Amino acid sequence: MPGRTPGRSLRIPLVCFLVLLPLNIPWSQISVTWLGVVHFLACLSPQLGSVVYHLFMNLEGGEPVYHTLLKLDVCGICMINTLGALPIVYITLFCYPWVRTVSLLIYILLSTHAVYCAVTARSSVRRLRSFAWQALFRFSFFLLRWVGVGCGSPTSLRHFLMMDALAVLGGVINITRIPERFRPGLFDYWCNSHQIMHVLVVGSILYLHWGVLDDLLWINSYDCPSN
């Protein structure tokens, strides 16, 4: 059955993120500590949710148990969408404290609605669609950086764009069931769409980490214009 094998392989990135990520964050050089903490939790949450989901999904508890585990998995995705974007919003509006606070509150409220829509969605398509507004909100901040209105490291924007591109690609591949839809049975254990999606998600998290790390180090040497 496709999906059983990823439970084993997902433990490796979970352990790596749990142990190595805190060591890779230069805590002594970060001026806003809570951004580093939020970023660590964001990177860890989807791996933790997926491992729990795949580890217990074969329990003989029937449909209610399965849907509970699926909601835990979805919550992990929701957390990286929510917590992962907070440093991006904060640093983009670094020189506009009042606007920054309002934007963070709006994004948290928007994410709360997205979480509800995602955990109550009855199909994979609707579940993916639940994150659309979050993605558009983040993309608006990418545009602010691109036009020079928002702040941020010169190298972080390309990391964030690659992050979202890999995440969207993984979601589309998982929904369309490529490549197993063309050769049923051939990809039951290896190289099925679900496994490909998980590999792309890990890559997406790495790009998020590299981008946020660039930003967190960049704000230490950046002075906002006096006017």
Side-chain angles (χ1 to χ4, degrees), residues 10-172:
L10 279 171
R11 298 170 196 172
I12 297 175
L14 173 62
V15 172
C16 290
F17 281 120
L18 183 63
V19 176
L20 299 179
L21 193 64
L23 300 176
N24 192 248
I25 298 176
W27 299 99
S28 60
Q29 302 177 48
I30 297 177
S31 56
V32 188
T33 307
W34 71 268
L35 292 178
V37 175
V38 164
H39 171 64
F40 169 67
L41 295 175
C43 293
L44 189 64
S45 57
Q47 305 303 323
L48 183 60
S50 290
V51 166
V52 172
Y53 167 68
H54 286 288
L55 190 61
F56 295 105
M57 67 181 294
N58 294 320
L59 290 177
E60 296 181 0
E63 189 175 344
V65 173
Y66 173 77
H67 283 294
T68 299
L69 293 171
L70 180 60
K71 288 179 181 179
L72 288 175
D73 189 19
V74 172
C75 283
I77 301 173
C78 293
M79 287 300 98
I80 192 170
N81 274 283
T82 302
L83 300 179
L86 295 182
I88 298 174
V89 175
Y90 184 96
I91 295 173
T92 301
L93 300 174
F94 183 67
C95 296
Y96 312 96
W98 186 84
V99 179
R100 180 182 66 208
T101 302
V102 173
S103 297
L104 287 171
L105 290 175
I106 292 175
Y107 189 74
I108 291 173
L109 292 174
L110 184 67
S111 298
T112 302
H113 177 68
V115 170
Y116 172 78
C117 292
V119 298
T120 57
R122 296 183 177 273
S123 69
S124 299
V125 175
R126 290 186 178 182
R127 196 170 297 119
L128 183 62
R129 195 184 301 164
S130 302
F131 305 114
W133 287 110
Q134 286 181 308
L136 289 174
F137 194 91
R138 286 196 308 273
F139 191 71
S140 67
F141 283 85
F142 298 159
L143 286 177
L144 288 177
R145 293 193 180 199
W146 184 66
V147 300
V149 176
C151 301
S153 169
T155 60
S156 63
L157 182 56
R158 66 171 179 264
H159 291 317
F160 294 143
L161 291 174
M162 184 61 71
M163 167 198 73
D164 271 346
L166 290 177
V168 171
L169 179 61
V172 171

Side-chain angles (χ1 to χ4, degrees), residues 147-198:
V147 300
V149 176
C151 301
S153 169
T155 60
S156 63
L157 182 56
R158 66 171 179 264
H159 291 317
F160 294 143
L161 291 174
M162 184 61 71
M163 167 198 73
D164 271 346
L166 290 177
V168 171
L169 179 61
V172 171
I173 288 176
N174 190 48
I175 289 174
T176 55
R177 298 290 185 263
I178 295 174
E180 63 268 19
R181 71 182 304 169
F182 301 117
R183 297 290 298 273
L186 182 62
F187 303 98
D188 281 357
Y189 293 99
W190 298 105
C191 299
N192 56 70
S193 59
H194 198 73
Q195 291 175 331
I196 295 173
M197 179 270 292
H198 278 297

Side-chain angles (χ1 to χ4, degrees), residues 211-222:
V212 170
L213 202 62
D214 284 351
D215 275 349
L216 292 177
L217 295 175
W218 174 84
I219 60 175
N220 289 335
S221 59
Y222 182 77

